[in-house]
C-alpha cells in the first residue's frame, strides 16, 4: 500500500467561522498566571536546601547565604513554604507584591 503525499497546509482553505489558527508561538510561563508567590525571609533562611529538595519544578536557586525561587518558572504551589523547617518562606498574593 502506497502512502499519499499530503499537500502543504494552506490557511486560505479554512472557513472564517472556525477558531483562529495560531501563527506565532506565545509561551505562557507559570509566573504569568500564578496567584501566590513565595517570599524568602533572608534572616531566617539557614540554607538547609529543604525548599530546593521539595520544589516540584526545581525553580529554587542558590544565592549568597540563602535560597530563593526563580519567579519566572515558579508556579506558586507553596510546597517550599510548607516544607521549610525554619519558616523562612511565606506565600503572598501576587497582586500585593
Amino acid at each position: 500500500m502506497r502512502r499519499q503525499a499530503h499537500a502543504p497546509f494552506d490557511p486560505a482553505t479554512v472557513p472564517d467561522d472556525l477558531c483562529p489558527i495560531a501563527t506565532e508561538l506565545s509561551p505562557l510561563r507559570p509566573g504569568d498566571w500564578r496567584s501566590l508567590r513565595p517570599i524568602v525571609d533572608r534572616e531566617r533562611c539557614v540554607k538547609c536546601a529543604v525548599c530546593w529538595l521539595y520544589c516540584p519544578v526545581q525553580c529554587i536557586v542558590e544565592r549568597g547565604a540563602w535560597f530563593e525561587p526563580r519567579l519566572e518558572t515558579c508556579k506558586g504551589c507553596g510546597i517550599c513554604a510548607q516544607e521549610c523547617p525554619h519558616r523562612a518562606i511565606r506565600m503572598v498574593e501576587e497582586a500585593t507584591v
Side-chain angles (χ1 to χ4, degrees):
M1 179 183 268
R2 287 183 66 191
R3 296 184 83 168
Q4 291 182 341
H6 293 282
F9 175 72
D10 180 9
T13 63
V14 177
D16 290 336
D17 59 347
L18 293 179
C19 292
I21 297 171
T23 57
E24 293 182 23
L25 180 61
S26 177
L28 183 63
R29 296 184 176 151
D32 297 334
W33 54 259
R34 82 172 159 254
S35 59
L36 296 174
R37 88 166 33 188
I39 302 293
V40 177
D41 182 345
R42 295 177 184 174
E43 299 290 322
R44 296 182 99 171
C45 180
V46 297
K47 208 171 176 182
C48 66
V50 171
C51 57
W52 176 84
L53 181 67
Y54 280 94
C55 180
V57 293
Q58 292 296 294
C59 71
I60 306 292
V61 293
E62 185 177 1
R63 298 291 184 219
W66 66 89
F67 281 91
E68 71 182 18
R70 230 181 353 224
L71 294 176
E72 57 274 355
T73 57
C74 173
K75 63 182 182 175
C77 67
I79 293 174
C80 58
Q82 283 182 323
E83 297 298 330
C84 179
H86 303 282
R87 302 292 176 239
I89 304 172
R90 63 188 171 90
M91 300 301 289
V92 298
E93 286 189 38
E94 190 68 40
T96 63
V97 177

